[in-house]
Amino acid sequence: MVKRNKTLVVICMKYDEFLKYKEIKDLSIINLGLDLSRGLKEYPMEFRNSKVLDELTNILARAQTEHILVKNLDILFNPEYKLNILNYFINLSRNRLVFIEWPGHLKGRELEYSEINYPDYQRYSIDDHKIVVVK
């Protein structure tokens, strides 16, 4: 299994399939799309971009368990937010074991989200990051 400290695990399958094979105790499952959209709707449209990181940090801080699994990340790929999503979760994993359900696909040694001609397209090389990918 994955070491308990300082690891980001990127799951390239549905999280419920992953959980069938991995017994993980003390796990919080965070539906980020739902929770973040609830938090952001409290702000006027013109302030939402500047509040994304605050809301995201608050949501993840509320999970008091040693391990967290974050699903429904699509909201973070909004180009207006200008987030490096993978780096955000790598930084978060410095304090706990973090699993994210990747909403895109694994293509060779790269994680991709969306299609190359769309504004929300992002690509990350696995070799450039200290992560574990489960497929």
Side-chain angles (χ1 to χ4, degrees):
M1 182 61 181
V2 177
K3 292 181 182 178
R4 289 177 44 169
N5 59 341
K6 301 176 180 53
T7 303
L8 173 64
V9 179
V10 179
I11 304 168
C12 294
M13 64 176 69
K14 293 293 182 192
Y15 79 95
D16 52 346
E17 289 295 317
F18 173 74
L19 292 178
K20 286 181 185 177
Y21 301 103
K22 305 291 181 191
E23 184 177 321
I24 303 164
K25 297 179 182 178
D26 198 27
L27 176 70
S28 292
I29 298 174
I30 298 169
N31 184 340
L32 190 63
L34 183 62
D35 293 346
L36 187 55
S37 61
R38 282 181 185 155
L40 290 176
K41 77 175 186 168
E42 300 300 320
Y43 301 101
M45 290 294 287
E46 62 269 16
F47 296 112
R48 290 182 185 174
N49 291 352
S50 64
K51 294 295 185 181
V52 164
L53 280 177
D54 293 340
E55 287 297 320
L56 179 59
T57 301
N58 289 336
I59 290 165
L60 297 172
R62 285 193 296 260
Q64 297 297 316
T65 58
E66 186 176 341
H67 308 101
I68 61 171
L69 187 149
V70 184
K71 63 179 194 159
N72 297 327
L73 303 176
D74 294 272
I75 191 170
L76 296 179
F77 289 91
N78 181 335
E80 293 180 16
Y81 298 155
K82 297 179 175 121
L83 295 175
N84 184 320
I85 294 146
L86 199 58
N87 282 346
Y88 178 86
F89 285 105
I90 288 169
N91 288 333
L92 179 67
S93 69
R94 290 179 180 171
N95 299 318
R96 56 174 35 156
L97 180 57
V98 178
F99 299 87
I100 60 171
E101 180 184 35
W102 188 253
H105 56 277
L106 178 64
K107 186 175 180 182
R109 302 278 307 151
E110 295 183 332
L111 294 166
E112 290 187 325
Y113 181 83
S114 188
E115 298 294 325
I116 201 160
N117 294 324
Y118 290 91
D120 61 348
Y121 175 76
Q122 291 192 32
R123 181 179 60 196
Y124 301 95
S125 170
I126 294 170
D127 298 327
D128 293 343
H129 297 86
K130 292 182 179 181
I131 60 174
V132 174
V133 176
V134 178
K135 52 183 176 171

